[in-house]
Amino acid sequence: MSAYREMGTEELKKELESLKEEYSKICEADISLDMSRGKPGTDQLDLSMGLFDVFNSSSEIKSAAGTDCRNYGVLDGLNEAKQMMADIMGTDSEHVIVYGNASLNVMYDTIARSFSHGVMGSTPWYKLDKVKWLCPVPGYDRHFAITEFFGIEMINVPLLEDGPDMDIVEKLVSEDTAIKGIWCVPKYANPTGISYSDEVVRRLANLKPAAKGFRIFWDNAYAVHHLYEGEENQDQILDIIEECEKAGNPDLVYEFASTSKITFSGSGVAAIAASKANLDFIKKQMSVQTIGFDKINQLRHARFFGNFDGIKEHMMKHAEKMRPKFQAVLDMLEEELKPTGIGQWTNPRGGYFISLDVMEGCAKKVVSMCKDAGMVLTGAGAPFPYGKDPEDKNIRIAPSYATPEELKEASKILIVCTKIAAIEKLLNI
Amino acid sequence: MSAYREMGTEELKKELESLKEEYSKICEADISLDMSRGKPGTDQLDLSMGLFDVFNSSSEIKSAAGTDCRNYGVLDGLNEAKQMMADIMGTDSEHVIVYGNASLNVMYDTIARSFSHGVMGSTPWYKLDKVKWLCPVPGYDRHFAITEFFGIEMINVPLLEDGPDMDIVEKLVSEDTAIKGIWCVPKYANPTGISYSDEVVRRLANLKPAAKGFRIFWDNAYAVHHLYEGEENQDQILDIIEECEKAGNPDLVYEFASTSKITFSGSGVAAIAASKANLDFIKKQMSVQTIGFDKINQLRHARFFGNFDGIKEHMMKHAEKMRPKFQAVLDMLEEELKPTGIGQWTNPRGGYFISLDVMEGCAKKVVSMCKDAGMVLTGAGAPFPYGKDPEDKNIRIAPSYATPEELKEASKILIVCTKIAAIEKLLNI
């Protein structure tokens, strides 16, 4: 097999014919595969069953500070839960407020509060003619859904190998008073898996926004989600809160994280981390919104892990389950797609996704063909604001939920579809 | 002892002197009592320890529909959790969305969404010059805090023995296009403990609001929180959702409830109930806000109770713990305060509060004197919008958290302070 772009028309036509035959066979088989969402596999969920054995008597449901976690109170979270979330995010517990079960909800609340009440004294966004937002792309569809829901105009910024294109970010943020924030997944980014370099983190921390109340939304969703053992094989990023402090911009960032992909997805603990001034402002709203979040679940998690070493150890068990899944997809791409020269993909050291760029103008077609063959992928365009991939080439692969065998099969289908779409493009069919 | 209003000046002065002596002695003793919040007692929390024994293996964490509750998904709640919450509210499960740990948060979200996005097609509230709200008083301070936070102008409506004064409600709602809602605690109301009569529920369901998107916020917080056994000794209210349907107003109401005072406060399950059209509109926002709430906790609760009989049985165990506490306060009020004729209080058949009206203009003083003596009460005025009791006479008593012995002592202090304040008022001191 040689690179498609070097093939002649006849050779391509022949290849297409054989691929179409293969595709027909796939469609005839009754396949049902899903690589659409970053859901942990059942084997990963089994790792946290110990959560159900944490408490055996009512006396054990007291926090270190003596709070009976079965009753009301403690607005901003138990100390031990703050410590746990701080360890995960790589910051100090005094920067942390612990919330309910999902960091997405915390991000939503943060935007909603800014819309109705502004940010630490800034004009509430609803009173502004226009609010804009920077979106490194490809990125996380659910982030973009939140900003879209509040009528915020999203601006694409290229996500490079080491983070967002900072030349563009610095220019836009310093010039446009309407730009109120930027979405960032700084470590093992969704979907490309890249991590922000120290330089990028520092440049972000040193931004001089024209807008009042500009915030970096730092979704550290995959902070401890390494695929490999040993620090040398793991991405590390700088503590953005510390870097913002050093830069004289202590209030510039909100950091978010949860245990959703550490223990049970949707039944974990989420948190925000920020400067004291930010936290004080947030707590005023929180005190209206709730009496407090689920402390029993906070304590359950803190007890289950014991300390940060417990979390790191636990994450290596996840890595063991995840590695063969990533490998199954990557092996197939390497063997079957690479020689054709019509695809590019990432090989991340952590996180939940592989990002595949097919030939320009082909992503929608590939996803649609896969669907017809019984395989669900994240919608083409989803990793872009308004669901619009300007080059229609990016496909997010989520290898976590299926088995390595299923992933091999799924990758085969994906590759066949990718090839067909590419040849049809080359042949102008 | 005779009624204070019938006493002469000298007699009152003598009584005051003796009361002040008593108060001094109380202050000298190192007392620390709290009747401020409706927190369940530790003995009540012990009733739900079985929640920790629900799951023993991973296969047990599947819902009836086969969902692995440890993973993402199911935006609006498990069927069994919907059924549980529907049973509690006295409605059908198809009317229910199950949320996270607190109904207060659901109410906050509901107001916040209406502010930013309107109500089923109505103009978002932030675009309106003025939004107003009806607040039956005395009521729940945390309700009023939410509407205040969003800049909504609150209008007091008297809460009578059988619900809000409907003549006033009907007139205002039908005339003023700015009135967008009303807070209601229809059963064992916070703080008076009264329940809405069938007539009041029907009149509410038949409201003809001038405002588009007007909603009744029906906080059924104490739906199953009876103090006595036997239906004849329990308050029953009509199903407002059904009454709204009958009235041709199916979308008029949002109902809220949670298990916070059924199992563990702050670690339970909350829900909203409403018409299908309302739920569809809400789910659009929810899908941006979250992937789903804590299904493990939903399943844990549904399994723990089994069915509605399980809940009713469980609530009777609560009642056993609560009755002597209510009785301790009521006995003291009856014995020590009634003869003086300077106080009025409620004797509810359920809920979490006793509402005490002291002499007009005396509530703040009484609460402040109690505080100086080491006893915390809910702030005077708290049960009113903006914390302002126009007559400065209402005090909310929360007897759930302390023991009957402590409550007896606490009531004694409260009564001494109530008497002193009253006499000083009568004597113009």
Side-chain angles (χ1 to χ4, degrees):
Chain A
M1 193 161 33
S2 55
Y4 283 178
R5 283 197 180 80
E6 290 159 21
M7 283 185 184
T9 305
E10 283 317 304
E11 210 179 345
L12 280 175
K13 279 189 179 163
K14 218 170 138 189
E15 170 85 357
L16 181 61
E17 204 175 314
S18 126
L19 285 165
K20 284 204 157 173
E21 211 167 297
E22 200 174 344
Y23 181 70
S24 290
K25 276 185 202 153
I26 291 167
C27 288
E28 277 161 30
D30 194 20
I31 287 165
S32 172
L33 291 165
D34 193 330
M35 295 206 296
S36 71
R37 304 279 354 156
K39 289 168 71 165
T42 305
D43 53 348
Q44 290 177 267
L45 300 172
D46 286 339
L47 297 172
S48 298
M49 288 303 292
L51 276 170
F52 294 110
D53 305 323
V54 167
F55 301 122
N56 293 299
S57 73
S58 52
S59 62
E60 291 175 2
I61 310 167
K62 286 207 167 141
S63 73
T67 303
D68 187 338
C69 295
R70 302 172 302 170
N71 218 328
Y72 287 117
V74 191
L75 179 66
D76 59 353
L78 301 178
N79 290 334
E80 42 268 74
K82 285 184 185 174
Q83 187 60 55
M84 174 180 75
M85 295 311 297
D87 288 341
I88 289 170
M89 292 186 270
T91 184
D92 298 323
S93 64
E94 75 219 36
H95 290 305
V96 176
I97 292 173
V98 185
Y99 277 78
N101 74 317
S103 56
L104 190 73
N105 204 331
V106 187
M107 293 181 246
Y108 177 95
D109 277 359
T110 306
I111 299 273
R113 179 183 56 248
S114 308
F115 182 83
S116 61
H117 289 80
V119 177
M120 275 175 59
S122 82
T123 306
W125 295 353
Y126 77 83
K127 290 187 177 168
L128 301 173
D129 287 337
K130 172 76 86 178
V131 175
K132 298 182 193 168
W133 207 265
L134 299 188
C135 301
V137 290
Y140 181 33
D141 53 352
R142 291 187 187 271
H143 285 165
F144 306 149
I146 294 174
T147 25
E148 185 173 1
F149 187 71
F150 284 93
I152 295 166
E153 184 184 317
M154 294 180 279
I155 300 165
N156 290 4
V157 174
L159 184 71
L160 310 177
E161 294 284 307
D162 61 348
D165 187 324
M166 285 308 299
D167 292 343
I168 296 178
V169 170
E170 282 164 354
K171 188 174 168 353
L172 290 173
V173 166
S174 66
E175 286 175 0
D176 192 340
T177 56
I179 297 177
K180 291 290 194 179
I182 179 172
W183 288 118
C184 295
V185 184
K187 199 167 180 178
Y188 303 132
N190 176 355
T192 67
I194 67 105
S195 297
Y196 290 18
S197 70
D198 292 356
E199 195 204 332
V200 165
V201 176
R202 289 206 181 97
R203 285 175 75 176
L204 282 164
N206 280 280
L207 282 175
K208 300 283 171 256
K212 216 181 152 190
F214 175 95
R215 291 290 181 273
I216 299 164
F217 278 57
W218 196 252
D219 184 4
N220 208 345
Y222 309 101
V224 291
H225 302 61
H226 311 287
L227 280 173
Y228 303 99
E229 290 210 48
E231 285 195 7
E232 68 283 9
N233 302 312
Q234 301 173 344
D235 290 1
Q236 307 296 342
I237 56 166
L238 288 177
D239 172 6
I240 182 101
I241 293 176
E242 193 185 340
E243 292 304 320
C244 285
E245 277 169 10
K246 281 189 204 163
N249 272 335
D251 303 327
L252 194 66
V253 66
Y254 298 131
E255 182 167 0
F256 306 92
S258 85
T259 65
S260 264
K261 290 184 186 84
I262 298 175
T263 57
F264 299 136
S265 303
S267 298
V269 174
I272 195 170
S275 69
K276 188 180 177 303
N278 275 315
L279 297 189
D280 287 346
F281 181 78
I282 292 167
K283 276 188 258 187
K284 272 186 208 155
Q285 177 243 335
M286 277 183 85
S287 70
V288 176
Q289 183 182 32
T290 185
I291 305 172
F293 290 99
D294 184 344
K295 294 186 299 298
I296 292 179
N297 209 29
Q298 292 177 22
L299 188 62
R300 182 187 279 125
H301 276 76
R303 291 266 175 86
F304 177 60
F305 291 121
N307 56 32
F308 191 40
D309 283 338
I311 294 176
K312 287 192 278 191
E313 208 177 294
H314 183 80
M315 292 315 293
M316 280 304 105
K317 294 181 197 161
H318 278 287
E320 247 175 70
K321 314 278 183 196
M322 291 282 269
R323 271 197 311 271
K325 299 181 180 187
F326 272 74
Q327 208 54 55
V329 176
L330 291 166
D331 283 351
M332 289 294 290
L333 291 170
E334 191 73 20
E335 285 163 32
E336 309 253 335
L337 195 58
K338 195 171 188 185
T340 69
I342 49 117
Q344 276 189 300
W345 55 91
T346 55
N347 184 350
R349 304 205 293 176
Y352 263 67
F353 304 101
I354 294 165
S355 179
L356 169 68
D357 279 344
V358 299
M359 195 180 278
E360 219 178 297
C362 292
K364 267 191 196 159
K365 188 171 182 183
V366 170
V367 170
S368 157
M369 286 179 71
C370 284
K371 195 180 170 194
D372 292 341
M375 182 176 123
V376 185
L377 286 163
T378 310
F384 295 80
Y386 312 108
K388 283 182 200 157
D389 177 356
E391 301 177 286
D392 186 27
K393 71 176 186 185
N394 185 262
I395 293 175
R396 185 181 83 162
I397 301 174
S400 56
Y401 192 65
T403 64
E405 294 66 38
E406 288 166 338
L407 288 162
K408 217 174 147 179
E409 196 183 353
S411 303
K412 192 161 191 73
I413 300 170
L414 172 60
I415 290 164
V416 167
C417 298
T418 300
K419 286 175 171 175
I420 292 175
I423 297 180
E424 290 185 341
K425 176 101 194 281
L426 288 170
L427 292 175
N428 262 321
I429 296 174
Chain B
M1 193 160 39
S2 55
Y4 283 178
R5 282 195 180 83
E6 290 160 19
M7 284 186 184
T9 306
E10 282 317 302
E11 211 180 345
L12 281 175
K13 278 188 181 167
K14 218 170 140 188
E15 171 86 356
L16 180 61
E17 203 174 316
S18 126
L19 285 164
K20 283 203 158 176
E21 210 167 297
E22 200 173 346
Y23 181 68
S24 292
K25 275 185 204 155
I26 292 166
C27 289
E28 277 162 31
D30 194 20
I31 288 164
S32 172
L33 292 164
D34 193 330
M35 293 206 298
S36 70
R37 305 282 346 160
K39 291 168 71 166
T42 305
D43 53 347
Q44 290 177 267
L45 300 171
D46 287 339
L47 297 172
S48 299
M49 288 303 292
L51 276 170
F52 294 110
D53 304 325
V54 168
F55 302 122
N56 293 301
S57 75
S58 52
S59 62
E60 292 175 1
I61 310 167
K62 285 205 169 141
S63 72
T67 303
D68 187 338
C69 295
R70 302 171 303 170
N71 218 328
Y72 287 118
V74 191
L75 180 67
D76 58 352
L78 302 178
N79 289 335
E80 43 268 74
K82 285 183 185 174
Q83 187 59 56
M84 174 180 75
M85 295 311 297
D87 287 341
I88 289 170
M89 291 186 271
T91 183
D92 297 324
S93 65
E94 76 217 36
H95 290 305
V96 175
I97 293 174
V98 185
Y99 276 76
N101 74 317
S103 56
L104 190 73
N105 205 332
V106 187
M107 293 181 244
Y108 178 96
D109 276 1
T110 305
I111 298 273
R113 180 182 57 248
S114 308
F115 182 84
S116 61
H117 289 79
V119 177
M120 277 175 59
S122 82
T123 307
W125 296 352
Y126 77 83
K127 290 186 177 169
L128 302 173
D129 287 337
K130 172 75 88 180
V131 175
K132 298 182 194 168
W133 207 266
L134 299 188
C135 302
V137 289
Y140 181 32
D141 53 352
R142 291 186 186 272
H143 285 164
F144 305 148
I146 294 175
T147 24
E148 185 173 2
F149 187 71
F150 284 92
I152 295 165
E153 184 184 316
M154 294 179 278
I155 300 165
N156 291 3
V157 174
L159 183 71
L160 310 178
E161 292 285 306
D162 60 348
D165 186 325
M166 284 309 298
D167 291 343
I168 296 178
V169 171
E170 282 165 353
K171 185 173 171 356
L172 290 173
V173 166
S174 67
E175 287 175 0
D176 192 339
T177 57
I179 296 177
K180 290 290 193 178
I182 180 171
W183 287 119
C184 294
V185 184
K187 199 167 179 178
Y188 303 133
N190 177 352
T192 65
I194 66 105
S195 296
Y196 290 18
S197 70
D198 293 355
E199 194 205 333
V200 165
V201 176
R202 290 206 180 97
R203 285 175 75 177
L204 281 164
N206 280 280
L207 281 175
K208 300 282 171 255
K212 215 182 153 190
F214 174 95
R215 291 290 180 273
I216 299 164
F217 278 57
W218 196 252
D219 184 2
N220 208 344
Y222 308 102
V224 290
H225 302 60
H226 311 287
L227 280 173
Y228 303 98
E229 290 210 50
E231 285 195 10
E232 68 283 9
N233 301 311
Q234 300 173 345
D235 290 2
Q236 306 297 342
I237 57 167
L238 288 177
D239 171 6
I240 182 103
I241 293 176
E242 194 187 338
E243 293 304 319
C244 285
E245 278 169 9
K246 282 190 206 163
N249 272 334
D251 303 327
L252 194 67
V253 67
Y254 297 132
E255 181 166 1
F256 307 92
S258 85
T259 65
S260 264
K261 290 183 185 86
I262 297 176
T263 58
F264 298 136
S265 304
S267 297
V269 175
I272 195 170
S275 70
K276 188 179 177 305
N278 275 316
L279 297 189
D280 287 346
F281 182 78
I282 292 168
K283 277 188 256 187
K284 272 188 207 153
Q285 176 244 334
M286 276 183 87
S287 70
V288 176
Q289 181 183 33
T290 186
I291 305 172
F293 290 99
D294 185 345
K295 294 186 297 298
I296 292 180
N297 209 29
Q298 291 176 24
L299 188 61
R300 182 186 280 124
H301 276 77
R303 291 266 175 85
F304 176 59
F305 291 120
N307 55 33
F308 192 40
D309 283 337
I311 294 176
K312 287 193 277 192
E313 207 176 298
H314 184 80
M315 292 316 292
M316 281 303 106
K317 294 182 196 160
H318 278 287
E320 246 173 72
K321 313 277 183 196
M322 290 282 269
R323 272 198 310 272
K325 298 180 181 189
F326 272 73
Q327 207 54 55
V329 176
L330 291 167
D331 284 350
M332 288 294 289
L333 290 170
E334 190 74 20
E335 285 163 32
E336 308 254 336
L337 196 57
K338 195 171 188 187
T340 67
I342 48 120
Q344 277 189 299
W345 55 92
T346 55
N347 185 351
R349 303 204 295 176
Y352 263 66
F353 304 101
I354 293 164
S355 179
L356 169 67
D357 280 344
V358 298
M359 195 179 278
E360 218 177 299
C362 292
K364 268 190 196 161
K365 188 171 182 183
V366 169
V367 170
S368 157
M369 284 179 71
C370 284
K371 197 182 170 194
D372 292 341
M375 182 177 126
V376 185
L377 286 163
T378 309
F384 294 80
Y386 311 107
K388 283 181 201 156
D389 177 355
E391 300 178 286
D392 186 27
K393 70 176 187 186
N394 186 260
I395 293 175
R396 187 181 81 163
I397 301 174
S400 55
Y401 193 63
T403 63
E405 293 66 38
E406 289 167 337
L407 287 162
K408 215 174 150 181
E409 196 183 354
S411 303
K412 189 160 192 72
I413 300 170
L414 172 60
I415 290 165
V416 167
C417 297
T418 300
K419 287 176 174 176
I420 291 175
I423 296 179
E424 290 185 341
K425 176 100 194 284
L426 288 171
L427 292 175
N428 262 320
I429 297 175

